[in-house]
Amino acid sequence: MDDVRFAVLGTGGIGRRTLEVSQHKDGLTAVAACDRNGVALDHDGLDVEELLDATEGNIASGPEEDVATDGGAAAEPVGSTEGVKQHGDQAGIVASEQGSPTETPIDDVIAESDDIDAVLLALPNLEHDFIPRVAERFAEADYGGVLIDVLKRSRVIGMLDDREDLLKESGITFVCGAGATPGFLTGAAALAAQSFVEVEEVEIWWGVGLKSGYEDNRGTVREDIAHLDGYDIEEAREMSEEEIEALIDEHDGVLEFHDMEHADDVLLERAGICDAEDVHVGGVLDVRSDEKPTTTTVSVTGTTFDGETGTNTFELDDATSMEANVNGPALGYLKAGVRNNRAGHYGVFGPADLLPSF
Amino acid sequence: MDDVRFAVLGTGGIGRRTLEVSQHKDGLTAVAACDRNGVALDHDGLDVEELLDATEGNIASGPEEDVATDGGAAAEPVGSTEGVKQHGDQAGIVASEQGSPTETPIDDVIAESDDIDAVLLALPNLEHDFIPRVAERFAEADYGGVLIDVLKRSRVIGMLDDREDLLKESGITFVCGAGATPGFLTGAAALAAQSFVEVEEVEIWWGVGLKSGYEDNRGTVREDIAHLDGYDIEEAREMSEEEIEALIDEHDGVLEFHDMEHADDVLLERAGICDAEDVHVGGVLDVRSDEKPTTTTVSVTGTTFDGETGTNTFELDDATSMEANVNGPALGYLKAGVRNNRAGHYGVFGPADLLPSF
């Protein structure tokens, strides 16, 4: 495949690490990145290292995100605040030599999107329809390329489907739910299902140890809290940082989740693997240790053509961080999205739609 | 995806079961099947049940295959020979109402291939270049569709690559090595590699219990014997059935293999996952039990972008038969091949080329 030129909207943990991981492979060129206050654009390729160095622990955030400034955590232990810039006019991308201040960062990227093959939407978790509305803006500008997100919420998939005609007209291939779970693990479930003519149950069970990555992933933690008994997404969004800390204290830093609203269910159903209701997602998050509290496992139970019932499993080594399991697969799906887009396949695709299945 | 009309060349174990498994899913229509002496063709769809019933335990074979007549084993226990037809003029597909005798079965399918989306080459293991030469014949007839095989030998991939220009000109998408291993497990390795920026080792370890499927899989067993210490493919091909039985007796029915020449290595290398030399394939075959003698496992060891080393694993339940793990994935890859073919992607593709990877 030819070179893929991509942009990242949002330079929180996921956006930054996607830029970082992309440097490890050939054929991926980062040409644009933006955050709330700034944009960096270079069609010959951004200097990713400079951009990451200049913005480390210096994430431009607004009122929805009360992001601490000692982050950059995946690469840097908590507490290392040396050289960290404070919020203000010079926060975020504008602190980079390559960045310019802007009040319309997304529009600035859209304006240059003719030469961009794929755009990763690594935006904070705002309203349910925020990502779908960003997609609309790209479609209205007649963008013909890939949009990809790492969203988790089942209901957002339907909102994207509602806009499928618009996306198709524009020539957009929207790959949704393409992080770790949904994403990597959804794909693993689709693959593991190939032994079976009928899938009875998919169980996705994840473990995340987030001590040194906590600051970078507050948005994700907040999103997870919405799945605890007695909470929902609205409630989690309105919690102050102090309330979240108190909740985490109550649980000694370890939160266990069951039957989460995770888009794996609708993404597997739309790919014809199984019914959404037969998909169960849960896991354990430890924000005070980098060790995973439980091993991330996908179990697919089904019946073979010759009448046997069995369970195939996919297990991630505890040593592989959530970050590694989000960003590699996200880039893999991004490239698969570009292949599909170049082949004229437009509309909404989940991870399992991009895998062989019979 | 629209309906996929496919043909099967060869109605040994793999060909028959592919026809059988295809009935469990929508969107797959078998329109042609042939064996050494006969061909069945119906563009509205074959009556697969009649074809399988009529030919059960009745495989038309030639001198290379000395296939016993009490087979049809995956569906039928050994010893059930009731109603089984003997070799002779009525052996194989010609015993079906839908079959006609022919001396040119492959050419007969080629003649009808304008209306066939994909052809599974489930032919016996003959000379190394037998499958590549069949592909040539399709190309020379200007076939524009998918050819797919479940071959195992690394060296055949190179022979296909040598013919890639011819395949591309004709508009053929050749999917090679698309059974269980290579195939299913190659894909699992490619997926599991997504956590890592560098893959150090891929270990594929399979277990097969083949008691009730032994008759149907003599060709596969012979192919495996070629990988035993002191044997090679030529030697294995020249062994009489008695010699093979004696060898199996010597090992009490259980053969263990290490460092096999399995195309997983070149298929993973061509997809950019790792070097071929870092792929190791082995396993244990028990021809006297249906229980798997060991659990089929794919282990992928690599380094993450954040510098950790880990091993992701994919395990097939012991209850899933080799047959289930060949034929589901083969049909999955067949459909993925058709999607690629319709998108204008021609040439030679391995299983890992059809999966997202970054």
Side-chain angles (χ1 to χ4, degrees), chain A residues 102-121:
Chain A
T102 174
E103 288 185 358
T104 55
I106 294 176
D107 290 330
D108 291 7
V109 173
I110 290 175
E112 299 283 331
S113 63
D114 273 359
D115 293 319
I116 298 176
D117 299 308
V119 180
L120 175 73
L121 311 178

Side-chain angles (χ1 to χ4, degrees), chain B residues 170-220:
Chain B
S170 174
I172 289 174
T173 303
F174 198 112
V175 182
C176 54
T181 177
F184 194 14
L185 304 186
T186 329
L191 192 86
Q194 298 285 291
S195 298
F196 307 117
V197 292
E198 191 74 46
V199 171
E200 282 148 37
E201 192 183 16
V202 173
E203 210 175 321
I204 292 176
W205 182 249
W206 53 261
V208 171
L210 207 56
K211 185 180 173 198
S212 65
Y214 182 38
E215 298 306 330
D216 245 8
N217 287 285
R218 283 175 179 256
T220 298

Side-chain angles (χ1 to χ4, degrees), chain B residues 11 30-31 37 55 61 99 101 137 195 215 225 235 242 253 259 276 279 281 288 290 328 330 332-333 342:
Chain B
T11 52
V31 295
N37 305 318
T55 58
S61 62
R137 286 162 65 186
S195 298
E215 298 306 330
I225 283 172
E235 215 159 346
E242 290 69 33
D259 286 319
V279 180
V281 181
R288 294 185 181 162
D290 281 334
Y333 287 124
R342 288 178 182 168

Side-chain angles (χ1 to χ4, degrees), chain A residues 21 24-25 184 188 191 194-195 305-306 308-317 319 321 324-325 328-329 331-332 343 357-358, chain B residues 21 25 184 188 191 194-195 305-306 308-317 319 321 324-325 328-329 331-332 343 357-358:
Chain A
V21 172
H24 289 273
K25 295 275 176 164
F184 194 14
L191 192 84
Q194 297 285 291
S195 299
F305 81 103
D306 44 4
E308 299 287 337
T309 297
T311 301
N312 293 342
T313 53
F314 179 67
E315 257 188 39
L316 298 181
D317 195 303
S321 61
N325 293 324
L331 285 168
S357 77
F358 79 101
Chain B
V21 172
K25 295 274 175 164
F184 194 14
L191 192 86
Q194 298 285 291
S195 298
F305 81 104
D306 45 3
E308 299 287 339
T309 298
T311 302
N312 293 342
T313 53
F314 179 67
E315 257 188 38
L316 298 181
D317 195 302
S321 61
N325 293 323
L331 285 167
S357 76
F358 80 100

Side-chain angles (χ1 to χ4, degrees), chain A residues 88-213:
Chain A
D89 288 350
Q90 288 302 306
I93 277 183
V94 293
S96 153
E97 288 169 9
Q98 303 166 82
S100 317
T102 174
E103 288 185 358
T104 55
I106 294 176
D107 290 330
D108 291 7
V109 173
I110 290 175
E112 299 283 331
S113 63
D114 273 359
D115 293 319
I116 298 176
D117 299 308
V119 180
L120 175 73
L121 311 178
L123 297 162
N125 297 303
L126 303 170
E127 301 78 18
H128 294 312
D129 65 347
F130 181 64
I131 298 267
R133 283 193 291 112
V134 171
E136 267 176 32
R137 287 161 66 186
F138 274 87
E140 280 155 11
D142 218 25
Y143 175 59
V146 171
L147 298 176
I148 176 165
D149 71 38
V150 294
L151 60 80
K152 293 181 182 183
R153 297 174 209 160
S154 303
R155 69 187 84 175
V156 182
I157 312 296
M159 293 180 184
L160 288 167
D161 280 336
D162 291 343
R163 291 158 173 86
E164 186 154 42
D165 287 345
L166 186 70
L167 297 172
K168 280 185 174 171
E169 260 166 56
S170 175
I172 290 174
T173 303
F174 196 113
V175 182
C176 55
T181 177
F184 194 14
L185 304 187
T186 329
L191 192 84
Q194 297 285 291
S195 299
F196 308 118
V197 292
E198 190 73 46
V199 171
E200 282 148 37
E201 193 183 15
V202 173
E203 210 174 320
I204 292 176
W205 182 250
W206 53 261
V208 172
L210 207 56
K211 185 181 173 197
S212 65

